[in-house]
Amino acid sequence: MKSIWSQLCFFWMVVQAVFAQTTPASLPQTQHKFVVIAHRGNHQHVPENTLASYEDAIKAGTDYVEIDLRTSKDGVLMIHHDATVDRMTDGKGLVKDLTWAELSALNIKKNQPSDAHSYRIPTFKEVLKLCKGRIHIYLDFKEADVAQTWQEIQAEGMEKQVVVYINKIPQYKQWRSIAPQIPLMTSLTEAINTPEKLGFFLGQAKLEVLDNISDQGMLEVAHRNGIAVWLDVQNPSEGPEMWQSALQKGVDGVQTDHPEDLVKYLNENKLREGIRNNNAAVLAAKPSYRAFKDIAYGEAPGKDNLLDAYFPENHNAQTKVVVYIHGGSWSRGDKSEFPEPLIQKLVGEKGYALVSINYRLVKDGKNRFPAQIEDVKKAISFITDKAKRYQYNGKEFAIIGASAGAHLALLYAYGHDQAKQVKTVLDLWGPTDLSDKSVRADGSDANNTVINFLGEADPKAQICLDASPAYHLTKETGVPTLIFHGGEDPLVHVSQAQNLHKKLDSLGIVNHLEIYTKEKHGMSADAAVDVFAKMVEWLEKYYPAVQKQ
């Protein structure tokens, strides 16, 4: 059985850079719509993950054979499920610590004492040769080099016969970079357990297959996004009742320990094309919105003074605006980082207008603070001035910021919003006190980043106070504030969020602090979907959108 993709960890600020892919890969063509995957081959009578088990899977009429890829000590790609050879062979030790010759010399234990055949651990090349033109491969990518794996797939002309199951985020990035045409599959983390959360996730990670989704609403979200769903049904009680249950869910295929029996069952019941549950409630099409890109709000060169605006259908003079400020240590990043699923949610569904802004970035000692906050003021003024012309409410705003962008959002709200237009601010792991030397150790990334931003090394300097949102916060300037932070953030210490929370409390200003104890700077997939949901809830409470006409 595959492990849950618990290693997935990506930063929300750079999610589009990590997961961006404009054209999805295509799944291998199969004779039947409902695919049958032979788990480690057809291993009821012969040992798993052997050439014999794969040959039997082919003879049984299955569509895919699932194999487990590992690497020998001397760099040969081998097929073996376990990290060690102890369970399946007469040898001992880790696959990665044994050479190809040592692995090939091992005898695989037989299922039945009467079996006169001998079995050994096959190489990936041998499996590719056996399967070419006969059956597709479901490649559980355990421990191997992506470039080497892709090279061997190409050498055998198997580019259109492989689906890769990924277990770790580096594997995702490597496969998308080296072989973007290969379809990818994974499991969902336990936190992605609702249709809404799945929708957020799929707006970030471009996949072709998911497994083990049994909730009808989530299944429909996957299908709406063009993603196939394959269930694992292999367990001691596997049989017709379980197969029928999987079919009734409307999934696109199953992975089985009894491929021969399953194919026979499907054929006898005329179910090789599967059952799509057309009676289930179909989710509505994605809400639509209008996007206007690269609008100039200032005169800085390049993209520094550009913004993107997103408007709901039928927006009017009462449509409220949410402003987003990107992160990137004040020296990188872009307005395009705002996740598309959150645009769909806030703009297409809830009816807000959204504006995502760029600002001058520190480069080669130029554009240091206060250039960034000056640009935020310019952008807010521009948005205010254009309200009547473009039909939205330009008198009040909510501001969301991530990392450096959260710093600017807080600083503007507490220190530069002379017109009192900001009604709430959402802080995603932003620094709040640049004068706090206790979280700026000499030589640390945090200290170097602040020095580069301000051009001043002394935390006691006036510019550090001027640039710190916490020093501008008073009972008169404070607004409802939602704070998210990682408990193990190595760049912006969690005490920055905790101290801001305490000061807001002391001033009687509505606020809420969410600390994700195991997260670092940014959020993992599990935390990100929770952050998204809580952001929407907060906005609806403290900055409710006008109902769409």
Side-chain angles (χ1 to χ4, degrees), residues 4 12 43 164 220 235 254 270 281 318 321 337 427:
I4 294 176
W12 184 53
H43 57 85
V164 175
E220 289 165 357
N235 65 58
V254 295
K270 296 181 173 54
Q318 279 69 53
V321 178
E337 76 179 28
D427 163 21

Side-chain angles (χ1 to χ4, degrees), residues 60 259-269:
E260 189 172 355
D261 293 338
L262 174 55
V263 169
K264 181 180 179 182
Y265 171 84
L266 294 173
N267 286 337
E268 288 178 349
N269 291 278

Side-chain angles (χ1 to χ4, degrees), residues 431-444:
T432 62
D433 183 359
L434 304 186
S435 71
D436 186 356
K437 185 59 179 177
S438 68
V439 295
R440 285 181 51 187
D442 290 341
S444 66

